Amino acid sequence: QVQLVESGGGLVQPGGSLSLSCAASGIIFSINAMGWYRQAPGKERELVAGIRSGGSTNYADSVKGRFTISRDNAKNTVYLQMNSLKPEDTAVYYCNADLLQHGSTSYRTYWGQGTQVTVSS
């Protein structure tokens, strides 16, 4: 059974930094894209950043220059370094991965359980 487990959320003051990580476990043949999404209260879930297996990245305009996504393919792990945090970054952050699980013939998207990030003084 594949699972994505996130860690690293918490409370931080405006201007501060947090680092999130998300590790995929289970028998995994291959992972294509991985990404981070967030959902604030009363809002729809939105893409924060994505990274493909080759390393190319994309970011939401609201986080460009402040957030950095990276991945360690050997560890099936994706990271999100968040700097210069703002109150509007407050949300539940979810990771996802398009991966090929043992016994499957097609890629599927899996989601983590979410981790709360709160930016407040």
Side-chain angles (χ1 to χ4, degrees):
Q1 185 72 11
V2 171
Q3 282 188 315
L4 299 185
V5 179
E6 298 137 343
S7 60
L11 172 65
V12 65
Q13 292 187 341
S17 298
L18 276 178
S19 181
L20 305 181
S21 63
C22 171
S25 63
I27 303 176
I28 299 168
F29 282 156
S30 175
I31 301 179
N32 189 7
M34 304 183 81
W36 289 95
Y37 287 70
R38 67 186 180 187
Q39 188 167 19
K43 295 188 176 182
E44 293 187 354
R45 191 174 297 189
E46 63 175 359
L47 173 68
V48 176
I51 184 167
R52 295 191 178 276
S53 57
S56 60
T57 60
N58 61 288
Y59 295 92
D61 288 343
S62 59
V63 307
K64 282 180 181 176
R66 301 188 296 122
F67 291 10
T68 302
I69 189 171
S70 61
R71 63 190 282 175
D72 184 333
N73 291 330
K75 296 181 178 179
N76 291 336
T77 299
V78 63
Y79 306 94
L80 186 68
Q81 177 64 40
M82 303 183 292
N83 299 327
S84 302
L85 282 160
K86 305 175 181 180
E88 51 263 44
D89 294 318
T90 296
V92 177
Y93 283 69
Y94 299 89
C95 69
N96 79 345
D98 293 328
L99 60 87
L100 183 63
Q101 184 184 3
H102 171 72
S104 296
T105 57
S106 60
Y107 283 81
R108 271 190 56 193
T109 299
Y110 292 81
W111 290 89
Q113 80 284 359
T115 184
Q116 177 70 45
V117 171
T118 302
V119 185
S120 175
S121 55

